[in-house]
């Protein structure tokens, strides 16, 4: 098993480090451009054919949508990579139940995984680790995206709470599509997509040890958590919890982002304001869909959080209008009952949903995840 190459992004005062970081970002920018340009070029060819013939069959239309979605996805991952590599994200030290966290991600992605025909076989044992919960959420989603890209079989996920030396270990393995040529270092170049680059960057930001091994038809990824809680001693291997370290939310990485809240009831508006007051967002409130449409005419916010009871045809038309201008415009629905928390997914739900009873816990995470894809 070979460790994923680690790059010193800040240079650490070293000329070699600065050179390596500069070369890494040059390669990454080239890759982002390529993964955006390739599907867009194919999409333009289809549009040109459509312009000439005036017709398009269902298969070609589906392919066109997939090509546009692939380009959009590459652009969004590029934005996330830029943000994580900027040094603005300050990971917090939080106690996280790893199995529960992964189970939550799998539950939120269930419809998306079914749509893409991916079967996940989790073997989840309990392990408590020290990590930034929101960044771990990003990492696990990126890992699933990468598996979806390459898996031709079910994806096996397992957690070893007693990995050596005193570290919890998350393992992901699957059979990948086709038998590709190995690079000179024995690794498959076809697996190094932008989704994998995001897995790497998120793991580095979290301070995790990341390894990947592959053969002609099978791939295995291992994440080790240096900061694992020893339940018997109630201690943390390698480092103690620093309760004074600011979290990724408390450091206000989304400060200045503009969110429009569409809610007819005063108590809902108050609950939303209280839930995200610490994030440094600019908030505006409207009471109806027409007020929201009028507000957006004078300038678009970065996201709309809306009361679910106001959903319907008029809100659907507003959503279509805004996304015609900004395809990845963020919408978060407040569901009246329950503690639901679902993020938007490509090929699945195109909006995030948060239960009203979970606003305080989940609305910041939803906005953090959705806006991180666009900022």
């Amino acid at each position: 098993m070979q460790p994923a190459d680690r790059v010193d992004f800040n240079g650490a005062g070293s000329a070699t480090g600065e050179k390596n970081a500069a070369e890494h970002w040059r390669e990454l920018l080239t890759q982002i451009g390529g993964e955006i340009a390739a599907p867009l070029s194919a999409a333009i060819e289809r549009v040109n054919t459509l312009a000439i013939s005036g017709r398009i069959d269902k298969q070609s239309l589906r392919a066109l949508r997939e090509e546009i979605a692939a380009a959009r996805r590459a652009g969004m991952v590029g934005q996330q990579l830029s943000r994580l590599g900027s040094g603005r994200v300050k990971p917090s030290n939080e106690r996280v139940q790893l199995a529960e966290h992964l189970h939550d991600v799998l539950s939120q992605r269930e419809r998306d995984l079914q749509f893409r025909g991916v079967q996940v076989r989790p073997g989840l044992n309990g392990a408590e680790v020290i990590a930034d919960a929101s960044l771990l959420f990003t990492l696990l989603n990126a890992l699933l995206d990468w598996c979806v890209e390459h898996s031709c079989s079910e994806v096996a996920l397992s957690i070893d709470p007693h990995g050596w030396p005193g570290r919890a270990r998350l393992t992901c393995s699957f059979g990948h599509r086709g038998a590709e040529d190995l690079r000179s270092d024995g690794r498959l170049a076809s697996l190094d997509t932008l989704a994998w680059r995001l897995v790497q960057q998120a793991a580095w930001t979290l301070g995790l040890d990341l390894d990947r091994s592959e053969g002609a038809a099978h791939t295995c990824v291992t994440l080790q958590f240096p900061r694992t809680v020893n339940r018997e001693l109630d201690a943390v291997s390698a480092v103690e919890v620093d309760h004074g370290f600011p979290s990724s939310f408390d450091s206000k990485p989304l400060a200045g982002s503009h969110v429009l809240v569409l809610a007819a009831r005063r108590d809902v508006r108050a609950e939303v304001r209280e839930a995200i007051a610490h994030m440094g967002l600019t908030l505006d409130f409207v009471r109806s869909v027409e007020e929201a449409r009028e507000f957006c005419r004078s300038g678009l916010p970065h996201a709309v959080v809306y009361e679910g009871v106001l959903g319907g045809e008029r809100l659907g038309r507003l959503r279509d209008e805004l996304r015609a201008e900004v395809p990845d415009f963020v919408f978060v629905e407040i569901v009246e009952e329950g503690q639901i928390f679902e993020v938007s997914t490509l090929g699945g739900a195109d909006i995030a949903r948060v239960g009203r009873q979970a606003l305080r816990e989940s609305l910041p995470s939803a906005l953090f995840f959705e806006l991180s894809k666009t900022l």
Side-chain angles (χ1 to χ4, degrees):
M1 180 173 293
Q2 298 180 7
D5 298 332
R6 188 179 294 269
V7 176
D8 181 2
F9 291 101
N10 296 318
S14 164
T16 301
E18 292 175 359
K19 181 179 179 180
N20 290 341
E23 181 62 26
H24 170 82
W25 286 109
R26 278 195 295 270
E27 292 177 357
L28 195 53
L29 286 172
T30 299
Q31 184 173 355
I32 293 170
E35 291 198 27
I36 292 174
L40 280 184
S41 296
I44 290 173
E45 287 298 320
R46 295 186 191 278
V47 172
N48 289 337
T49 301
L50 172 61
I52 294 172
S53 66
R55 294 183 299 178
I56 186 169
D57 57 41
K58 290 184 178 180
Q59 184 177 358
S60 296
L61 179 60
R62 180 177 180 179
L64 177 61
R65 293 180 62 181
E66 290 175 351
E67 288 156 356
I68 293 173
R72 173 176 178 261
R73 183 163 57 248
M76 290 163 55
V77 172
Q79 291 171 329
Q80 288 179 288
L81 286 167
S82 174
R83 182 176 168 276
L84 288 176
S86 69
R88 291 190 299 127
V89 178
K90 305 293 185 183
S92 68
N93 291 332
E94 307 169 60
R95 288 195 176 207
V96 177
Q97 295 293 340
L98 183 57
E100 293 179 9
H101 208 65
L102 181 55
H103 183 271
D104 288 344
V105 172
L106 290 172
S107 297
Q108 293 160 20
R109 295 290 299 272
E110 183 177 6
R111 286 186 297 177
D112 181 39
L113 294 174
Q114 289 177 349
F115 177 83
R116 303 191 194 190
V118 175
Q119 298 293 323
V120 178
R121 177 168 55 86
L124 306 182
N125 297 311
E128 189 173 22
V129 299
I130 305 302
D132 185 296
S134 61
L135 290 181
L136 183 58
F137 182 84
T138 297
L139 169 60
L140 295 177
N141 271 285
L143 183 61
L144 284 178
D145 285 336
W146 181 67
C147 292
V148 166
E149 286 182 349
H150 303 288
S151 173
C152 66
S153 63
E154 68 178 8
V155 178
L157 295 166
S158 63
I159 295 174
D160 178 3
H162 305 298
W164 186 89
R167 298 180 175 188
R169 182 170 56 199
L170 170 63
T171 302
C172 170
S173 61
F174 58 88
H176 56 71
R177 299 187 183 101
E180 305 289 344
D181 293 333
L182 295 176
R183 299 186 322 198
S184 59
D185 62 1
R187 300 167 71 179
L188 284 166
S190 63
L191 295 178
D192 291 331
T193 58
L194 284 180
W196 175 251
R197 301 302 186 190
L198 183 55
V199 171
Q200 286 181 311
Q201 183 64 65
W204 294 336
T205 304
L206 283 164
L208 308 184
D209 293 333
L210 173 66
D211 292 283
R212 189 182 92 196
S213 64
E214 63 262 355
H218 190 267
T219 295
C220 181
V221 172
T222 300
L223 283 162
Q224 291 195 69
F225 293 77
R227 295 173 290 180
T228 299
V229 176
N230 185 320
R231 291 184 175 179
E232 295 181 0
L233 301 177
D234 193 30
V236 183
S237 50
V239 68
E240 296 296 330
V241 180
D242 180 1
H243 298 287
F245 202 118
S247 73
S248 58
F249 288 149
D250 292 338
S251 61
K252 300 183 179 180
L254 302 179
S257 297
H258 187 185
V259 175
L260 178 64
V261 181
L262 168 56
R265 292 174 290 180
R266 179 181 298 177
D267 54 341
V268 175
R269 295 195 296 271
E271 290 169 11
V272 172
R273 181 186 289 108
E274 184 178 354
I276 58 179
H278 63 289
M279 297 182 70
L281 300 168
T282 299
L283 298 180
D284 280 293
F285 296 84
V286 292
R287 294 176 173 81
S288 69
V289 176
E290 291 308 314
E291 287 184 22
R293 176 177 282 106
E294 185 64 29
F295 182 94
C296 291
R297 284 174 183 159
S298 61
L300 290 183
H302 293 103
V304 171
V305 176
Y306 69 92
E307 195 174 0
V309 295
L310 296 178
E313 290 185 7
R314 289 189 299 172
L315 184 61
R317 288 195 296 271
L318 175 62
R319 185 163 61 246
D320 291 342
E321 291 169 8
L322 297 186
R323 286 188 169 164
E325 185 171 349
V326 181
D328 55 356
F329 191 89
V330 172
F331 283 89
V332 180
E333 177 185 352
I334 300 173
V335 180
E336 183 63 23
E337 299 293 338
Q339 299 183 350
I340 187 173
F341 174 29
E342 295 179 352
V343 297
S344 64
T345 57
L346 293 172
D350 62 350
I351 61 174
R353 291 182 172 87
V354 176
R356 187 175 174 186
Q357 297 175 16
L359 281 181
R360 182 185 293 273
E361 297 80 11
S362 300
L363 184 56
S365 297
L367 285 170
F368 183 86
F369 181 76
E370 299 295 327
L371 287 172
S372 293
K373 296 188 295 185
T374 63
L375 296 181

